[in-house]
């Protein structure tokens, strides 16, 4: 079994990664979170005290954990899968520097379905051109911290420069904008819709996550990809190329 170390192990995704690790040929040997503890899977809150051996680091935590992730990766030279969103420019630069030392896979969404939706949206845009207005609506559970979601930004970035993206628009739409609207409520795992709105027709591309296990599956596939990859910064496009 390949060995994984999980940042955010006590969160919803951390628990899912632990529960289904064996399905993907992994065992979780340790984790990092706010409350340290012993047990079958030890949890740490200080990288200097981590004494388990592992093959890959998988991160579903929070941007404030990045310095700890970098410290552990620097010490062990193990690859890192980063699924956390909400990083600022300075933190993104830290990730780029880390990728010069170890292979790093970073994606705003670990779903292969989202990768397919993105490819379909890019194809639709090439056909429909600028005669259609593009709007993205994303929905998540009421405890999600970042707004808009990393996935919505991933989709928007594939279609338009960041300066043309308008988050939660207030007022009329301007030509060439891509709007992103966020909804937070209940226990929604994740829903994304890309709408192309013309004068006489509407085209929509939707993705609905039914279980967090799909994100765990993508993270473990990314981990497998990194185990044989040289140091560099990778994303879902790189993984899809290998699957094709």
């Amino acid at each position: 079994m390949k060995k994984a170390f999980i940042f955010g192990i006590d969160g919803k995704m951390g628990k899912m990664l632990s529960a289904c690790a064996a399905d993907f040929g992994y065992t979780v040997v340790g984790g990092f979170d706010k409350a340290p503890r012993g047990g079958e899977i030890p949890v740490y809150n200080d990288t200097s005290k981590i004494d388990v051996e592992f093959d890959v680091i998988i991160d579903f935590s929070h941007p404030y954990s990045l310095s700890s992730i970098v410290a552990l990766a620097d010490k062990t030279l193990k690859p890192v899968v980063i699924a956390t969103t909400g990083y600022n420019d300075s933190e993104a630069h830290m990730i780029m520097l880390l990728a010069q030392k170890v292979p790093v896979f970073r994606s705003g969404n670990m779903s292969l379905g989202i990768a397919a939706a993105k490819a379909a949206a890019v194809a639709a845009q090439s056909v429909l051109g600028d005669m259609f207005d593009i709007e993205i609506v994303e929905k998540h559970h009421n405890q999600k911290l970042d707004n808009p979601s990393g996935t919505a930004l991933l989709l928007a970035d594939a279609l338009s420069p960041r300066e043309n993206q308008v988050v939660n628009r207030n007022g009329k739409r301007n030509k060439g904008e891509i709007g992103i609207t966020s909804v937070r409520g209940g226990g929604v795992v994740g829903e994304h819709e890309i709408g192309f709105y013309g004068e006489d027709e509407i085209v929509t591309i939707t993705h609905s996550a039914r279980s967090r296990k799909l994100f765990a599956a993508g993270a473990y596939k990314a981990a497998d990809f990194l185990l044989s990859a040289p140091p560099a910064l990778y994303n879902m496009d790189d993984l899809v190329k290998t699957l094709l």
Side-chain angles (χ1 to χ4, degrees), residues 83-180:
T84 295
T85 59
Y87 289 113
N88 60 33
D89 290 343
S90 175
E91 291 161 340
H93 184 65
M94 286 178 62
I95 294 170
M96 290 182 64
L97 292 178
L98 177 62
Q100 296 176 11
K101 303 175 185 178
V102 301
V104 176
F105 188 105
R106 181 188 176 195
S107 177
N109 191 293
M110 287 292 166
S111 162
L112 292 175
I114 284 291
K118 185 181 81 168
V122 170
Q125 183 185 41
S126 68
V127 173
L128 300 175
D130 60 3
M131 296 180 64
F132 283 66
D133 297 327
I134 304 174
E135 293 284 319
I136 297 172
V137 179
E138 58 96 349
K139 302 176 183 179
H140 284 87
H141 55 86
N142 56 22
Q143 299 301 303
K144 186 170 178 61
L145 296 176
D146 53 327
N147 177 7
S149 70
T151 302
L153 292 173
L154 179 152
L155 295 170
D157 288 345
L159 300 170
S160 173
R162 191 63 67 93
E163 59 265 24
N164 292 342
Q165 299 170 21
V166 179
V167 177
N168 295 321
R169 178 185 291 103
N170 181 17
K172 75 178 186 67
R173 150 185 273 282
N174 296 314
K175 187 69 174 176
E177 292 178 348
I178 287 185
I180 305 174

Side-chain angles (χ1 to χ4, degrees), residues 19-88:
C20 68
D23 295 344
F24 304 100
Y26 281 83
T27 181
V28 176
V29 296
F32 190 98
D33 221 306
K34 295 178 182 178
R37 65 171 187 273
E40 184 178 351
I41 302 178
V43 178
Y44 308 83
N45 66 353
D46 183 344
T47 55
S48 68
K49 296 180 179 179
I50 296 172
D51 57 0
V52 293
E53 295 185 359
F54 52 86
D55 301 305
V56 63
I57 298 166
I58 301 178
D59 167 46
F60 275 92
S61 59
H62 188 279
Y64 61 61
S65 298
L66 182 60
S67 59
S68 297
I69 294 167
V70 170
L72 185 59
D74 275 341
K75 182 172 74 171
T76 62
L77 296 180
K78 297 299 183 181
V80 184
V81 176
I82 296 179
T84 295
T85 59
Y87 289 113
N88 60 33

